Amino acid sequence: MDNFVEGLTEVTCDVLVIGGGTAGPMAALKAKQKNPALNVVLLEKANVKRSGAISMGMDGLNNAVVPGYATPEQYTKEITIANDGIVDQAPVYKYASRCYEIIEELDRFGIRFQKNANGDFDLKKVHHLGTYVLPMPNGDTVKKALYRQLKRERILISNRFMATRLLTAREGRIAGAVAVNTRSAEFLVLRAKTVILCMGAAGRLGLPHSGYLFGTYENPTNSGDGYAMAYHAGAALANLECYQINPLIKDYNGPACAYVAGPFGAYTANSEGKRFIESDYWSGQMMQEFYNELQSGKGPVFLKLNHLHPDTVGEIEEILHKVERPSRGRFHEARGTDYREKMIEMHISEIGFCSGHSASGVFVDEFARTTVPGLYAAGDMASVPHNYMLGAFTNGAVAGEHAAEVAQEIDLPDYDPDFVRLERVRVLAPTRREDGIPPNQLEYKARRLVNDYLQPPKVTAKMQIGQARLADVREDFETALVVRNAHELMRALEVSSILDCADMAAHASLYRTESRWGLYHHRVDYPDKDDDNWFCHTLLSKVDGRMTSEKRAIQPYVVPIETEERSAYDRLRVLNQA
């Protein structure tokens, strides 16, 4: 085995931000700008320069609320309808009210957004009701521009430290975090007045059809660490039964991007080349229609572009093959597929947690506060539905500003040193064994079980068997897992998070005894939507060491929704023409 460094260092700060992808850097930036005298630390298990879901860039903003195209009220209504009405509108409305100023700020950072001949932002219609998609011609520069701002504000960045657990004070208030170095296994205790979790989606939960552990739709380094840490700190997590499931190019770990190609005239089609859904904007009901078509005699499902002019296809390729996932063009070249000649086969992704594309996340209010005092969450791991990259930027800003205000007013909380000692024992246990199961084998087994037993359509008996089988995997994790270097130790800790998320997925899915959100929570033995009993949030949390769930009423709407409007996304299927 490699030599592990036996070290423990303690540092103190005012605001600790964990996660250096999208929301985290913006949260750290806004906290520092709110009060330059504060000590703000940004912690990242990789390197902030190229970490997170936007490490290679992004091809556009999916949810830009730009004056002249949409109002905050219109956007709030759209997202409420897209999410089956299970929405606390206050955080959605706050996002919609602030995101335009964030777009303007990103524009000043040097990130270009597509504009028309008049110099105005050039938005495209993809959503079922409104117009919110803003292309980014140089989206590959996002991370570089963001990193420049962090350096300009002299924010302390700690790369290669993976947070493992949150620290809490005796009265339950957040007190910081414990982290381990991913190159040396040295430990770091970070004491903080406020903590902001920006650790991304649980993207490595289900196993891709390819079988490759890292061949996921989501950024595979996002393994649900933030969900697990929030859970073990006592925070409530909302609507985890509302999985993330997305359409993708078959055998390729990325989106088909019908929402990018759609404004140019492309669309999702069946094997007959016919359109079967009115809108390519992702929602649970859209995915249900996608699944139904796959299972019908008209499957598989395809992205259709071969009816477009070759110049138009070239413009689409310029976006899809050079920004965010450059490997996409190489994949098609190796397959010998050409958008101009034939349709591109699509399929369904593995399951995950991600509020950015659905609604499953750590429960937060309009200030990004969780249910644990002093703890915040933003980005794909927070419960603001359908918030995407711009939501991560905007809600990260909200979290950073509020966390800075609180940090100014309170003293540094105490923590229990014995908790740190026990956490070191837990984390380093796999390093003490001479032989056993390596992390990649245990991860494969856990994620295969997720596919076998938790993937929709959901069946009660299968999910219960899945819980028992996952318990066996956890026992192997605690007694037989072995790691040989600090990198494998990081992978082992990610497996721990994956197991936590799998347990939460099963528990939450069994708790909500109805079907809702289309394919995301389609329960075969409870096939109908039950508004009388389940028009509410479900909150999962850890109470006295046990996983529990409860109902939480939806807050009164800020923007009224008529009963007829609420079912708009249920009418996505193209009707047969006479």
Side-chain angles (χ1 to χ4, degrees), residues 20-21 25-26 29 42 47-51 54 109 111 141-155 157-159 393:
M26 184 61 82
L29 185 67
L42 178 58
N47 189 304
V48 172
K49 284 185 178 180
R50 283 293 190 189
S51 62
I54 62 165
F109 288 174
I111 302 167
T141 65
V142 173
K143 211 63 203 286
K144 299 173 187 176
L146 199 57
Y147 191 74
R148 286 196 298 269
Q149 302 305 314
L150 296 173
K151 300 303 287 185
R152 183 170 295 164
E153 294 293 339
R154 300 182 180 275
I155 291 167
I157 298 172
S158 291
N159 289 317
F393 278 132

Side-chain angles (χ1 to χ4, degrees), residues 113-132:
F113 300 99
Q114 188 165 303
K115 296 181 180 179
N116 59 27
N118 296 324
D120 299 322
F121 291 124
D122 184 18
L123 277 80
K124 308 296 182 183
K125 187 179 188 316
V126 176
H127 291 64
H128 193 35
L129 304 176
T131 302
Y132 306 103

Side-chain angles (χ1 to χ4, degrees), residues 163-371:
T164 66
R165 286 289 187 264
L166 293 166
L167 297 172
T168 53
R170 183 173 289 107
E171 70 278 11
R173 183 172 194 85
I174 208 70
V178 181
V180 65
N181 190 284
T182 59
R183 296 292 172 84
S184 67
E186 294 175 273
F187 275 78
L188 181 63
V189 173
L190 301 108
R191 300 183 62 189
K193 297 177 180 179
T194 55
V195 176
I196 309 173
L197 296 178
C198 305
M199 302 171 73
R204 227 160 78 222
L205 182 53
L207 191 68
H209 290 280
S210 67
Y212 295 124
L213 295 180
F214 283 72
T216 54
Y217 173 91
E218 278 291 340
N219 171 23
T221 65
N222 291 343
S223 49
D225 305 333
Y227 286 80
M229 287 177 60
Y231 168 74
H232 288 292
L237 296 98
N239 306 314
L240 297 185
E241 64 277 15
C242 181
Y243 294 167
Q244 172 188 237
I245 306 172
N246 296 109
L248 45 64
I249 296 173
K250 190 171 187 304
D251 301 325
Y252 177 71
N253 69 325
C257 288
Y259 72 92
V260 173
F264 292 92
Y267 56 86
T268 303
N270 59 27
S271 60
E272 298 176 350
K274 295 179 180 178
R275 185 165 198 159
F276 61 93
I277 46 176
E278 297 281 0
S279 169
D280 287 318
Y281 176 68
W282 299 334
S283 67
Q285 191 57 41
M286 186 274 263
M287 288 308 304
Q288 184 67 58
E289 298 294 354
F290 192 111
Y291 175 84
N292 292 344
E293 202 74 4
L294 278 178
Q295 302 304 312
S296 75
K298 297 180 181 179
V301 171
F302 298 85
L303 177 62
K304 182 171 171 56
L305 301 95
N306 57 347
H307 61 292
L308 301 176
H309 189 280
D311 290 347
T312 302
V313 175
E315 192 173 352
I316 294 171
E317 289 175 330
E318 188 71 19
I319 300 170
L320 295 183
H321 296 180
K322 293 189 177 180
V323 180
E324 186 183 353
R325 297 184 193 243
S327 60
R328 178 178 177 140
R330 297 194 294 272
F331 169 82
H332 287 309
E333 184 179 0
R335 279 281 173 98
T337 54
D338 188 329
Y339 292 164
R340 298 160 187 79
E341 297 175 359
K342 59 183 180 181
M343 300 188 297
I344 308 302
E345 186 178 358
M346 296 168 66
H347 204 64
I348 288 177
S349 74
E350 65 285 345
I351 69 167
F353 293 152
C354 177
S355 67
H357 295 95
S358 64
S360 46
V362 178
F363 186 73
V364 295
D365 65 7
E366 65 269 32
F367 298 103
R369 295 177 295 194
T370 72
T371 57

Side-chain angles (χ1 to χ4, degrees), residues 380-457:
D380 280 349
M381 66 165 290
S383 64
V384 184
H386 297 242
N387 74 118
Y388 301 99
M389 180 179 74
L390 185 56
F393 278 132
T394 305
N395 296 322
V398 170
E401 290 167 355
H402 198 276
E405 290 178 1
V406 172
Q408 292 172 176
E409 304 297 328
I410 65 172
D411 296 326
L412 190 68
D414 291 326
Y415 72 95
D416 181 3
D418 198 48
F419 178 88
V420 175
R421 180 187 64 80
L422 293 173
E423 178 62 3
R424 292 184 73 189
V425 171
R426 182 189 76 89
V427 170
L428 293 175
T431 72
R432 311 300 192 201
R433 301 185 185 105
E434 292 298 324
D435 196 15
I437 306 171
N440 62 329
Q441 291 184 18
L442 208 60
E443 178 179 341
Y444 181 88
K445 185 175 183 178
R447 293 171 63 191
R448 182 180 62 80
L449 292 173
V450 168
N451 281 22
D452 288 347
Y453 296 106
L454 305 186
Q455 184 99 5

